[in-house]
Amino acid sequence: PSVSAAPPLPTLDSRTILCVGGRDRSVAHYRDIVEQGGGRFAHHDGGNEQRADALDANLAAADLVICQSGCISHHAYWRVKDYCKRTGKLCVFLDNPSASSFTRGLRQIMLQQVPATAGDAPV
């Protein structure tokens, strides 16, 4: 049986995609995925090394947010969740920091159909 390829990502139209958290070694892959789709990539590590208060500026500058909830501090998780809820900014929370999970989350958020999938929880 043939394996069907995942559908291509919708064009990102120069939107800024903020990734909060994720594994350090995967950040370059996330950046490639966003840039190949025509978007601008921004990253905040979720309070591990970067200051948590810098997160607010990153959130304000982003068009869409993908939060790697398993790789950030509890404080950063609640900060992202509260900010996106208050402002109506589209955000998807991912439990799995893999590039394939990131791509699925990005596809969901771009299609504005942010349904929960196994391990993923939208705002």
Side-chain angles (χ1 to χ4, degrees):
S2 65
V3 175
S4 62
L9 283 173
T11 182
L12 300 177
D13 296 324
S14 298
R15 288 183 184 95
T16 299
I17 311 301
L18 172 62
C19 175
V20 180
R23 293 186 187 127
D24 288 341
R25 67 180 180 268
S26 297
V27 172
H29 296 294
Y30 306 150
R31 179 180 304 281
D32 289 343
I33 292 164
V34 169
E35 290 177 353
Q36 287 172 9
R40 292 185 305 267
F41 179 80
H43 180 257
H44 188 282
D45 72 2
N48 295 324
E49 292 182 21
Q50 294 175 315
R51 291 183 6 203
D53 59 343
L55 181 56
D56 290 337
N58 288 353
L59 287 164
D63 295 306
L64 305 167
V65 180
I66 296 181
C67 184
Q68 307 279 357
S69 59
C71 302
I72 63 174
S73 70
H74 289 287
H75 178 73
Y77 172 88
W78 289 109
R79 201 169 198 149
V80 169
K81 188 168 183 108
D82 177 65
Y83 183 92
C84 291
K85 187 177 249 184
R86 276 187 298 109
T87 63
K89 190 162 291 196
L90 286 177
C91 179
V92 67
F93 288 82
L94 306 174
D95 288 337
N96 182 342
S98 70
S100 61
S101 182
F102 181 87
T103 301
R104 281 191 305 275
L106 186 56
R107 185 173 292 111
Q108 288 176 350
I109 204 168
M110 283 302 298
L111 296 174
Q112 296 183 8
Q113 302 172 355
V114 193
T117 61
D120 299 344
V123 169

